[in-house]
Amino acid sequence: MSVDTPEGVGNRIRRLLPSRATDIGVVLVLPGLVLFSLFMLFPIAFLVYLSITDVSRAGDVIGIFQGEASIVWFANYLELFTDGEFWNSIGVTWLYVGVSLGLKLVLTLVIAILLTHDRVAGKRYMRTLVIVPMGFPPIFVITIWRAIFSPAKFGPFNRLVSAYNDVVIGLTELVDTIAFFLALRAPELLLVDVPVNWTGGRWAAFFGYVVTETWLAYPFMVIIVVSALQDVPMELHDAAKVDGAGYLNRLRHVTIPAIKGPLVFASILTAATSFQNFLIPWVFNKGGPGRSNELLLVYGYREARVFNEYAMSSAIMVVAIGFIGLFMWLAVKKTNLADGV
Amino acid sequence: MSTILDAIADLRAGRRSPVDVAKSALTTGVAIGLLLILLFPVYWIVTVALSRGTTLSSPGSLFGDPATYTLDSFRWVLENESFRRGLLNSLIVVTVTVTVTLAFSIPGAYALSRREFFGRRKLLYGYILFTQVGAGLSIAVLIALYALFSGIGLTNNLLVLGLFYAAGAIPFNTWLLKTFMDNIPVSYEEAAIVDGASQWQVMREVILPLAKPGIAAVLVFAWTAGWNEFIVAQTLIHDPDLYPLSVELYGLIGDRRGTSWPQFAAFALLFALPVAIIYFLAQKQVESGLSFGGMEG
């Protein structure tokens, strides 16, 4: 037991407190970084390399290390950019991102405005319930939606379509009985052919993807927007009311500006996620019918695993990683995630 | 309930006009209606799991017959060989994922939060970039890794699978924990050092206990990542004896004719329940992890 002089204590604190000590920090960070590099950064570099070789089967990839592959430089990319299937996949992917984002934004705004509205009783319970989809594993949610969109005649969604048809026919008959001299028949345009083949029809399947994606992703957006709406001071609304602003005006000038930032943030993140979606098309019908609905990652994956074109698949994946990189950059630039680094 | 009683009392006393109350009732009704539509899939899958022998090709009621609801399907799943095997495999994978994640992200997060070292800011920025993408990159690199792993015999290995999940989520988990540790006041550490604690003791006795909620959040994320993931597992595992639950579940839906819908639904619900329960118990931490605490207003 030695009693420290005041200076001794001071020195010891200076020695131990976070300082320019480079050693221990690096030692602590390195294991995680190495593990991440092994499973992520190295494979990315390896993909880039594969994409300029001519390997085709998985078994040949390992042969690269024995120098069995030849470098073909950008031949794969040239072939890719002149391939209609590739452009179709890019187009479908962006269409999927755009359509589902639009749907998510509308749904999110409706839900968020309702669940922060003065006139809605029991808001707190509803907020808990509305984000329930988030608590489920994606594979569970997607298999369920796959069942809902069953092509069978009595699949849940096909029943809904039949019910809709009955309503249209019923309405026309009603009008017909009132105005009997018109001899109306239900307009073919408004009726849907039942059963809809949700897995075998191109746009029917695409519709199924978008609905599923929306249901998977809206809770995340609702959480962010609701918390932003709760931060809008009531004084603002009151002031607007005093100035004679109606509900729509207040929505435009008070509510929307207050949630614009969070909405952009949520949109970027959800767009990035849906761009990288793989499971929905895969579980529904493997991006079918044929190869018409393959989102980019599904397209690349099948190119390798089903068609044994590893070099081509790597080129596709490199393109996908490029897009993902853009999203990463956008997410960090447009939000304050990286502030204070 | 009290809202309704209050409204009635207000009406009687003339504090609110009937029109005003009607408006509120209508808006609430709209909200409830929307909620019911949104939650239809959940309600439907539960009724399917409880009903008997419903198939999608029978014209009966969509929700089966409530009079004949039974737990038979759940019993069938719990006694089912492939469910038990899948559960065991999933638990192995999840254990590996959680252990590796905690072992690698806690020291890293501490260093990033409390230490100054060469390249710290660059590394942090890189990690933040990678927090925003996960699943997509995993699938992109999966092609390369699959080819390599099958070449050197690392497929069909649950440990490798768990390691893969942990590795992919290191940036996210490290960064989440780091932001959490940033909120622990340095004065605690100073006090411990004044009392003569060593570096190691400071970490163990001060930081770890105070970072518990953050560690819990990371644990939840790691656990659910390992439990939920499907495509990497399906690619790297070929041996049906080693399938985790997610792959088993997919197998049920792929096999159209052989699947009884109630059994599929019960299997799916039993697979999803642990995640849902954990998720709602840890909702606060999960939400803080999702919005990164960075988007206030």
Side-chain angles (χ1 to χ4, degrees):
Chain A
M1 266 312 285
S2 67
V3 180
D4 269 315
T5 55
E7 284 116 313
V9 175
N11 279 335
R12 207 164 70 213
I13 291 177
R14 253 193 299 281
R15 246 202 340 271
L16 288 175
L17 271 184
S19 63
R20 300 212 159 278
T22 54
D23 45 355
I24 185 122
V26 171
V27 168
L28 291 174
V29 159
L30 221 51
L33 187 60
V34 168
L35 184 68
F36 179 66
S37 306
L38 268 180
F39 280 87
M40 276 289 183
L41 302 180
F42 159 70
I44 290 175
F46 191 59
L47 270 181
V48 174
Y49 176 69
L50 276 181
S51 71
I52 57 168
T53 64
D54 63 350
V55 289
S56 57
R57 287 173 308 114
D60 301 343
V61 171
I62 211 79
I64 283 181
F65 296 102
Q66 284 104 49
E68 283 171 25
S70 43
I71 303 253
V72 295
W73 295 109
F74 295 107
N76 293 321
Y77 290 95
L78 281 176
E79 197 180 327
L80 197 61
F81 295 152
T82 52
D83 185 353
E85 259 170 15
F86 168 75
W87 291 111
N88 174 62
S89 170
I90 292 266
V92 164
T93 308
W94 282 111
L95 190 68
Y96 171 79
V97 170
V99 174
S100 64
L101 180 61
L103 206 58
K104 276 180 264 189
L105 281 174
V106 171
L107 186 64
T108 301
L109 281 175
V110 170
I111 295 173
I113 287 170
L114 269 176
L115 296 192
T116 51
H117 199 283
D118 298 339
R119 292 195 175 276
V120 175
K123 287 191 285 276
R124 283 192 40 237
Y125 305 107
M126 290 189 196
R127 272 180 215 151
T128 310
L129 278 174
V130 86
I131 58 166
V132 156
M134 206 171 198
F136 292 126
I139 182 83
F140 164 83
V141 170
I142 297 165
T143 46
I144 286 176
W145 277 99
R146 171 70 186 73
I148 288 175
F149 280 108
S150 159
K153 185 171 180 222
F154 295 103
F157 214 90
N158 274 338
R159 288 178 193 237
L160 181 73
V161 175
S162 306
Y164 157 85
N165 278 350
D166 293 346
V167 167
V168 172
I169 292 168
L171 280 177
T172 17
E173 277 172 356
L174 188 69
V175 175
D176 197 36
T177 40
I178 295 165
F180 56 90
F181 45 85
L182 286 179
L184 278 177
R185 292 226 329 279
E188 289 297 324
L189 259 181
L190 289 177
L191 292 179
V192 184
D193 278 341
V194 197
V196 179
N197 188 350
W198 294 110
T199 50
R202 177 174 183 179
W203 296 113
F206 185 82
F207 175 82
Y209 297 176
V210 169
V211 170
T212 309
E213 162 72 28
T214 305
W215 201 77
L216 265 175
Y218 83 82
F220 163 73
M221 296 180 77
V222 165
I223 289 175
I224 289 179
V225 175
V226 163
S227 74
L229 278 177
Q230 284 171 318
D231 290 341
V232 179
M234 273 327 281
E235 290 85 18
L236 275 181
H237 279 290
D238 294 341
K241 274 184 196 163
V242 169
D243 289 343
Y247 181 75
L248 283 178
N249 262 326
R250 272 184 290 136
L251 189 71
R252 233 186 84 193
H253 296 290
V254 180
T255 311
I256 301 283
I259 58 175
K260 211 170 143 191
L263 217 48
V264 168
F265 168 80
S267 299
I268 291 173
L269 291 195
T270 194
T273 315
S274 54
F275 181 88
Q276 299 168 54
N277 201 300
F278 180 95
L279 270 184
I280 294 176
W282 186 257
V283 172
F284 260 67
N285 56 4
K286 299 230 158 78
R291 302 193 72 180
S292 59
N293 274 330
E294 288 179 354
L295 300 189
L296 197 54
L297 286 172
V298 178
Y299 176 57
Y301 184 86
R302 290 192 76 205
E303 198 69 21
R305 298 297 318 277
V306 180
F307 302 98
N308 273 322
E309 292 285 352
Y310 263 83
M312 279 307 275
S313 165
S314 303
I316 296 163
M317 290 307 191
V318 169
V319 173
I321 290 172
F323 277 120
I324 294 172
L326 276 180
F327 272 117
M328 287 155 88
W329 176 81
L330 195 67
V332 171
K333 272 279 167 279
K334 286 281 173 197
T335 63
N336 53 7
L337 283 177
D339 285 4
V341 169
Chain B
M1 211 61 226
S2 62
T3 323
I4 298 170
L5 295 177
D6 286 350
I8 293 170
D10 283 346
L11 268 176
R12 287 220 172 105
R15 280 189 297 265
R16 288 176 71 180
S17 71
V19 174
D20 187 67
V21 174
K23 270 188 183 171
S24 290
L26 193 71
T27 326
T28 307
V30 169
I32 292 174
L34 183 66
L35 212 60
L36 287 178
I37 294 172
L38 285 173
L39 294 182
F40 164 82
V42 182
Y43 174 71
W44 178 68
I45 201 76
V46 172
T47 58
V48 170
L50 290 172
S51 50
R52 278 180 204 277
T54 340
T55 57
L56 284 174
S57 50
S58 69
S61 155
L62 195 54
F63 304 112
D65 177 6
T68 62
Y69 280 173
T70 154
L71 290 173
D72 283 356
S73 303
F74 289 97
R75 207 166 295 128
W76 174 84
V77 171
L78 290 174
E79 286 165 6
N80 181 302
E81 196 51 46
S82 68
F83 179 82
R84 291 183 175 187
R85 223 179 27 225
L87 180 64
L88 183 67
N89 294 333
S90 276
L91 288 176
I92 294 172
V93 171
V94 164
T95 309
V96 174
T97 308
V98 167
T99 316
V100 173
T101 299
L102 291 181
F104 284 75
S105 63
I106 294 175
Y110 175 76
L112 286 170
S113 169
R114 288 287 192 269
R115 303 276 161 188
E116 192 52 62
F117 53 89
F118 175 72
R120 171 183 167 277
R121 290 188 50 184
K122 281 196 178 62
L123 178 69
L124 197 54
Y125 197 83
Y127 271 6
I128 289 174
L129 278 176
F130 277 100
T131 57
Q132 299 313 308
V133 289
L137 273 185
S138 290
I139 294 166
V141 301
L142 183 60
I143 294 299
L145 282 178
Y146 169 76
L148 287 177
F149 285 176
S150 56
I152 50 182
L154 282 178
T155 49
N156 274 335
N157 188 327
L158 294 176
L159 300 181
V160 171
L161 194 61
L163 205 59
F164 187 114
Y165 298 150
I170 278 200
F172 176 83
N173 289 324
T174 308
W175 188 69
L176 185 67
L177 211 47
K178 180 250 167 206
T179 49
F180 194 88
M181 286 179 183
D182 284 346
N183 294 330
I184 301 174
V186 183
S187 50
Y188 290 110
E189 285 155 271
E190 287 167 354
I193 290 165
V194 170
D195 288 345
S198 70
Q199 294 235 2
W200 173 239
Q201 278 174 314
V202 168
M203 273 188 239
R204 213 183 48 200
E205 312 281 337
V206 181
I207 296 289
L208 275 186
L210 286 172
K212 258 197 190 123
I215 291 172
V218 166
L219 201 144
V220 168
F221 278 115
W223 199 97
T224 48
W227 182 265
N228 292 352
E229 210 289 327
F230 159 75
I231 191 64
V232 177
Q234 201 203 23
T235 309
L236 294 181
I237 308 284
H238 305 298
D239 181 357
D241 287 343
L242 294 175
Y243 282 165
L245 275 179
S246 56
V247 179
E248 295 276 7
L249 178 69
Y250 176 79
L252 280 184
I253 199 159
D255 174 22
R256 274 275 163 279
R257 279 150 308 174
T259 315
S260 128
W261 280 106
Q263 289 170 352
F264 160 77
F267 194 112
L269 281 170
L270 284 172
F271 166 70
L273 269 181
V275 177
I277 290 168
I278 291 174
Y279 182 86
F280 284 103
L281 288 178
Q283 208 177 348
K284 271 218 154 30
Q285 282 96 330
V286 173
E287 277 188 32
S288 70
L290 282 173
S291 49
F292 301 120
M295 284 307 290
E296 251 82 90

